[in-house]
Amino acid sequence: MAPPPCCFANEAAQIYRHPLGFVQHVWLPGAHASAVLRAAFEALLGQLHPVGAGKVLIDQRRFVTPSAPDTSWFLLDWLPRAVQQGYRYGAVLSAGPALDRVSRHTTRQEAMRQYPIIYHRFDQESLAIAWLLAQP
C-alpha cells in the first residue's frame, strides 16, 4: 500500500490522513523547540475534525519526551481541545529508552484519567492499526 499523502510536516513530526479513516502522527527524532513541538500538535488538532473518526496512530518510536511545561500544555490546553474535536482513541507505537517510555506512559495514564480517551501501546504497527479499526 502506498503511504498516504502528508498533511503536515515540520522538524518534529509528519501527519497523514490514513485511507483507513484515522490520523497518523509520526514523531521525528530529536528534542524539539517548544514552538515546533506545539505546532505539530496544533496541526494534529486540525486533522481530527476532517477525518471525523477520533482515532490517531501515534508513532513515538523516535520521540524524545518533552519538557515539563510542554507536557503540562499538552494535558491542560491541547488535550481538552482535542477531545472537543472528537479525539477518543490513540494507538501508540513506542520504543526508546526505558525512562522516556515510563514518562510517556505516565502522561498517557493522566490523560486517560482526566479525559474520555483510551490509549493503547503497541510494538507493531499492524496490531496498532487493527486495534484502531476495531474501535467504534
Side-chain angles (χ1 to χ4, degrees), residues 2 12-13 21 40 48 60 62 72 79 92 94 97 115 119 126 136:
L48 289 174
Q60 291 185 340
R62 299 180 291 172
S72 292
L79 206 47
V92 181
S94 64
Y115 305 102
Y119 286 107
S126 61

Side-chain angles (χ1 to χ4, degrees), residues 66-113:
S67 67
D70 284 332
T71 299
S72 292
W73 172 84
F74 170 79
L75 287 169
L76 301 173
D77 183 328
W78 185 84
L79 206 47
R81 293 184 289 130
V83 167
Q84 288 178 339
Q85 290 287 338
Y87 185 27
R88 295 293 180 265
Y89 301 99
V92 181
L93 297 169
S94 64
L99 186 58
D100 278 352
R101 283 196 313 268
V102 168
S103 175
R104 291 188 301 257
H105 174 75
T106 302
T107 301
R108 286 192 303 270
Q109 291 298 100
E110 183 64 20
M112 288 190 296
R113 187 182 70 71

Side-chain angles (χ1 to χ4, degrees), residues 23-65:
V23 177
Q24 186 170 2
H25 190 159
V26 179
W27 287 106
L28 300 176
H32 303 287
S34 182
V36 173
L37 185 79
R38 291 179 188 202
F41 275 114
E42 293 296 338
L44 174 58
L45 186 66
Q47 294 304 315
L48 289 174
H49 185 68
V51 171
K55 302 174 186 181
V56 181
L57 175 61
I58 309 153
D59 187 340
Q60 291 185 340
R61 291 177 287 193
R62 299 180 291 172
F63 186 58
V64 175
T65 301

